[in-house]
Amino acid sequence: SPQEAVAWQEAVLEHLARRPISVEVPRMLPNRQGQVHCSVAVGGEQYLLRLLTWIAGELMAAVEEHPRVLLRQLGRVAAETTRAMEGLVQPAGVSAHHWLVTRSLEAIEDSFDAVKDPECRQAVVTIQRWFQDASKAFDRLPTATVHQDLNDFNVLVTVEASGEARIAGVLDFNDSVTTIRVAELAVAGAYAMLRKADPLSAFCEVVSGYREVIEMTEEELDVVFPLAAARLC
């Protein structure tokens, strides 16, 4: 239900407030009654109002260059976020959303008719096959609660005086979900490949950074690229 979804979002943010990571994440600010949200009426409609802290920085999507050090930091942040969310389990009443990594095949099939270019269609068919093979391991993969949407519009970057870009914060934990642990890395790595001359090298930098924090299983390493490719589809 919507109420359970809101309660879950707030539980995630409250948990992260107690488990800080190396970059900023939004924090809820209580009102004078100590509540982290309240109901307000606007134009005869009821809305939920919640105030979050501001995090300075530019969207990673707006930063033209993503050097290796930034991509590696993205992988570390993905792993740190997963570590920080240990102990959180998504309630049964919160429904799984359309963009769940493990449901990628459904999302692709929903839109496949819109792909008209023959070369693109063949690429999608190939990636669907990769995903089907990868999905055979899902039941054996470690699970965790993850952000699951570390795309380049949810990652904030600052440019230091030296000219070096650094990740400053992570936004939008509203899609956090308990699923396979490697989903976090698959999503972060997928979006890191966009607009790159050498997308595979960019992906490998993100994976390398993640592995500095979390030791991946062999099966996680086997499935992470097919899952990232499916996410981009």
Side-chain angles (χ1 to χ4, degrees), residues 68-102:
R68 290 177 58 186
V69 66
L70 184 70
L71 295 169
R72 193 171 281 251
Q73 187 194 6
L74 176 62
R76 288 198 301 272
V77 168
E80 288 176 12
T81 304
T82 299
R83 278 273 175 88
M85 293 170 79
E86 286 177 356
L88 274 171
V89 180
Q90 180 184 359
V94 179
S95 59
H97 54 80
H98 181 67
W99 299 112
L100 197 62
V101 164
T102 53

Side-chain angles (χ1 to χ4, degrees), residues 167-182:
I167 294 173
V170 172
L171 305 176
D172 191 2
F173 285 80
N174 289 351
D175 285 343
S176 297
V177 63
T178 304
T179 183
I180 55 174
R181 181 178 67 177
V182 76

